[in-house]
Amino acid sequence: MSKPKVFVTRIIPNKGLDLVMDFCDVDLWTNDLPPSRDELLKRVKGVDGLLCLLTENIDSEVMDTAGPQLKVVSNYAVGFDNIDVVAATERKIPVGNTPDVLTDATADFSFALMMSAGRRVLEGDRYVREGKWMTWGPMLFLGNEMRGSTLGLVGFGRIGKAMARRAMGFDMRVIYYDPNEPRRDPDVKAVSVDFDTLLEESDFISLHTPLTSDTHHLINAETLNRMKPNTVLVNTSRGPVIDMDALYEALRDRKIFAAGLDVTEPEPIPVDHPLLTLDNFIIAPHIASASRSARDKMAWLAAKNLIAGLEGNHLPNCVNPQVHR
Ligand code: DGY
């Protein structure tokens, strides 16, 4: 029997790729950079399944170019704003994602950003490398302490709760804003507040919300203005949740203390972006989930989702389970 044809848009860890290779006839995109739109449209023609990354925009054109035999789209990410899920559902195509397995890696990294930006770790590093370190100084690189401060979480899903658990170990007060998850979690000491309270009371703000029309530029000139001057803002969710021009102005004018971004709008951030000139801004290339174990598990789960869809079974993690009704 012939194997199902799939397009895999990048080399992923072997924990998943080997499964896909065993089960499918694979067209693998081996470049480090994503396929261009034209290349994507060329490669998807006639495939039964697609394993893609957040760098690919999977819309109705891609699905229709693939053809009516397309059985599944498996995203190697928990976020799926790169996929038109409504279009997939209309075509009865299940869409898979990779939640849970990257929760701790992402929460660890968000903490790393909060602490690095709050305690000016990268500024200190540059200072030493530039030969400016002359002596111990009582006022050198003063920053913000975690203990006793308030952490405001925007989004209280899996990663938000993992942040709250970590914050308990640092003796922080945790508040959160999440219109979809207003329930308390008995294992986590955190208080649900409205968005204004979160902005006004938090010393650290960490974003863990999906990108939707409601969260696009949720952090903008107006909301930045409501934050305290000592606030450290970090984002490991999706770049467009923050208006980057407004963030630049707030940091430049010291309206907030510092920011750390793992995600930007656009990605990659242009190297001449004014944010990159600021000392109170730190940046990473969208690597919050990049622990070896998280990436292995993401690959495994993305492969399982793909294969389940090809076999006509329910995906282990399906974002549009209504396709099966
Ligand atoms: C995701 O999974 O959505 C992250 O942004 C990448 O791991």
Side-chain angles (χ1 to χ4, degrees):
M1 218 178 79
S2 66
K3 292 178 169 181
K5 279 175 61 175
V6 299
F7 181 43
V8 178
T9 63
R10 216 71 48 79
I11 296 177
I12 60 169
N14 285 336
K15 284 269 185 311
L17 195 55
D18 287 350
L19 291 180
V20 178
M21 291 286 193
D22 280 352
F23 190 83
C24 309
D25 172 5
V26 181
D27 179 11
L28 176 64
W29 185 256
T30 54
N31 287 5
D32 287 339
L33 293 178
S36 65
R37 181 76 183 173
D38 282 352
E39 199 64 47
L40 177 65
L41 291 173
K42 204 162 93 193
R43 301 283 184 125
V44 294
K45 268 190 198 130
V47 298
D48 302 297
L50 178 60
L51 195 157
C52 55
L53 272 57
L54 54 87
T55 43
E56 281 83 59
N57 175 21
I58 308 301
D59 56 11
S60 55
E61 187 188 16
V62 173
M63 297 176 211
D64 291 340
T65 306
Q69 77 298 329
L70 181 65
K71 289 196 186 68
V72 58
V73 174
S74 172
N75 210 31
Y76 178 77
V78 63
F80 48 87
D81 47 278
N82 57 311
I83 298 176
D84 185 341
V85 177
V86 173
T89 308
E90 279 165 7
R91 290 160 182 74
K92 296 269 177 213
I93 301 170
V95 175
N97 71 335
T98 62
D100 292 322
V101 294
L102 47 66
T103 297
D104 287 313
T106 306
D108 287 349
F109 198 81
S110 307
F111 250 84
L113 283 180
M114 287 199 312
M115 296 182 76
S116 305
R119 293 299 302 276
R120 307 172 67 180
V121 173
L122 299 185
E123 272 183 88
D125 178 280
R126 282 194 295 272
Y127 180 81
V128 175
R129 287 171 199 269
E130 287 164 10
K132 293 180 179 160
W133 187 21
M134 296 305 162
T135 183
W136 186 87
M139 309 299 276
L140 196 59
F141 290 121
L142 302 184
N144 299 352
E145 206 163 297
M146 313 295 276
R147 182 162 190 272
S149 63
T150 296
L151 169 62
L153 298 167
V154 179
F156 202 58
R158 298 176 190 85
I159 301 173
K161 291 187 177 97
M163 291 294 290
R165 267 182 241 113
R166 281 159 178 72
M168 285 161 64
F170 280 89
D171 281 339
M172 298 174 92
R173 169 182 174 241
V174 183
I175 57 179
Y176 66 92
Y177 165 72
D178 190 337
N180 302 314
E181 193 93 4
R183 282 167 286 117
R184 272 169 176 271
D185 179 325
D187 296 333
V188 177
K189 229 169 109 196
V191 178
S192 170
V193 294
D194 59 42
F195 191 46
D196 286 344
T197 305
L198 184 131
L199 294 173
E200 284 157 18
E201 293 190 3
S202 301
D203 304 298
F204 293 86
I205 296 180
S206 189
L207 308 180
H208 302 284
T209 177
L211 175 63
T212 64
S213 50
D214 288 339
T215 62
H216 183 264
H217 288 190
L218 183 67
I219 304 299
N220 53 41
E222 199 245 311
T223 49
L224 282 158
N225 250 323
R226 303 241 283 284
M227 294 177 192
K228 302 201 280 192
N230 70 317
T231 299
V232 174
L233 170 69
V234 306
N235 189 12
T236 55
S237 62
R238 285 292 181 264
V241 177
I242 297 183
D243 174 343
M244 305 255 293
D245 294 338
L247 178 63
Y248 167 69
E249 282 169 20
L251 288 170
R252 182 198 59 194
D253 301 345
R254 307 279 159 178
K255 287 189 174 148
I256 65 170
F257 185 73
L261 301 187
D262 181 49
V263 289
T264 59
E265 181 189 27
E267 284 185 15
I269 186 174
V271 283
D272 60 352
H273 195 288
L275 272 170
L276 300 178
T277 64
L278 300 176
D279 276 340
N280 55 350
F281 174 74
I282 65 173
I283 177 85
H286 203 149
I287 53 171
S289 70
S291 75
R292 283 181 212 287
S293 86
R295 289 289 166 86
D296 278 352
K297 289 177 196 155
M298 286 166 68
W300 183 85
L301 190 48
K304 286 289 189 188
N305 281 334
L306 180 79
I307 293 168
L310 292 170
E311 289 181 317
N313 295 330
H314 287 216
L315 316 193
N317 270 100
C318 188
V319 304
N320 56 347
Q322 62 273 34
V323 292
H324 295 294
R325 277 183 218 133

